Amino acid sequence: ELEISLKVVIVGNGAVGKSSMIQRFCKGTYTRDYKKTIGVDFLERQIEVDAEDVRLMLWDTAGQEEFDAITAAYYRGAHACVLAYSATDRQSFDAIPSWKLKVENECGEIPTVLVQNKMDLVDQCVIDPEEAERLSRALGCKLLRTSVKEDVGVVGVFRHLASRCLHE
Ligand code: GDP
Ligand code: MG
């Protein structure tokens, strides 16, 4: 049987939870220690989506995002993209349109989802739900909310993207 493999890139400012999201989804683990990198290019996990076995390869950055130094190799051949920001970090939200452009410049139009992480920190949330919805509409990307810490919504992000890729 044909196996479907999808490369997914996860972009956004530093400290929004990209590496944590990848670890949570692929290994089922979470750590509070600030980890700059998971030490490898990508982690993978196989899931069943619409009765198809899909292998997702989730590409992490080794902190280069903070220096605007992500190389073309990171984006090369990507099938789908997660645009991630943190509910507690205004700058990370404001940076989303420029992250979208970077991905588009390297990959063209690929299935992309907007993810607001750290939903567990409700009392520290600095993003108005209305403006998040507005950005989602402006970018033409579905908005999903996650808490990688509490393991809420993470699987849904990757199921959504895999399903989009299968039906392109
Ligand atoms: P990256 O720079 O985008 O890869 O971010 P990291 O995955 O290294 O996470 C940065 C920090 O945010 C770490 O201390 C994580 O433990 C923490 N973090 C990640 N996701 C969540 C979450 O959903 N809730 C909370 N409270 N902290 C999170
Ligand atoms: Mg990281």
Side-chain angles (χ1 to χ4, degrees):
E1 208 183 280
L2 194 88
E3 195 199 60
I4 301 155
S5 287
L6 300 175
K7 173 175 175 174
V8 182
V9 289
I10 297 162
V11 298
N13 283 7
V16 301
K18 302 182 299 297
S19 299
S20 302
M21 185 176 295
I22 294 169
Q23 294 225 44
R24 170 62 86 192
F25 181 70
C26 295
K27 292 181 169 174
T29 58
Y30 175 79
T31 169
R32 261 175 52 173
D33 303 336
Y34 190 96
K35 283 241 173 81
K36 284 267 179 207
T37 174
I38 53 175
V40 293
D41 291 338
F42 65 90
L43 289 178
E44 58 181 62
R45 176 176 164 186
Q46 197 167 312
I47 58 170
E48 200 186 289
V49 180
D50 308 329
E52 304 270 4
D53 284 326
V54 180
R55 188 163 72 107
L56 292 165
M57 292 167 289
L58 306 193
W59 282 61
D60 198 11
T61 63
Q64 306 102 313
E65 69 273 24
E66 288 170 61
F67 314 103
D68 206 7
I70 299 179
T71 60
Y74 176 79
Y75 296 106
R76 194 170 298 131
H79 300 95
C81 170
V82 175
L83 297 172
Y85 68 94
S86 163
T88 65
D89 178 350
R90 181 78 222 177
Q91 278 186 22
S92 73
F93 178 77
D94 293 339
I96 288 293
S98 77
W99 281 114
K100 176 105 174 356
L101 274 178
K102 274 174 208 162
V103 175
E104 243 169 58
N105 286 340
E106 299 286 345
C107 308
E109 294 255 0
I110 54 174
T112 297
V113 66
L114 180 63
V115 175
Q116 174 168 314
N117 186 38
K118 307 201 186 183
M119 287 305 292
D120 54 288
L121 300 174
V122 260
D123 47 342
Q124 294 170 48
C125 183
V126 294
I127 310 299
D128 177 51
E130 277 288 312
E131 61 178 337
E133 288 297 339
R134 215 178 304 131
L135 179 64
S136 158
R137 280 195 299 275
L139 299 178
C141 301
K142 191 179 173 76
L143 170 65
L144 295 174
R145 293 184 168 85
T146 60
S147 168
V148 170
K149 183 181 179 189
E150 310 286 348
D151 200 8
V152 174
V154 177
V155 177
V157 168
F158 298 105
R159 297 196 74 83
H160 171 77
L161 284 177
S163 183
R164 288 270 313 278
C165 288
L166 289 179
H167 300 113
E168 282 274 291

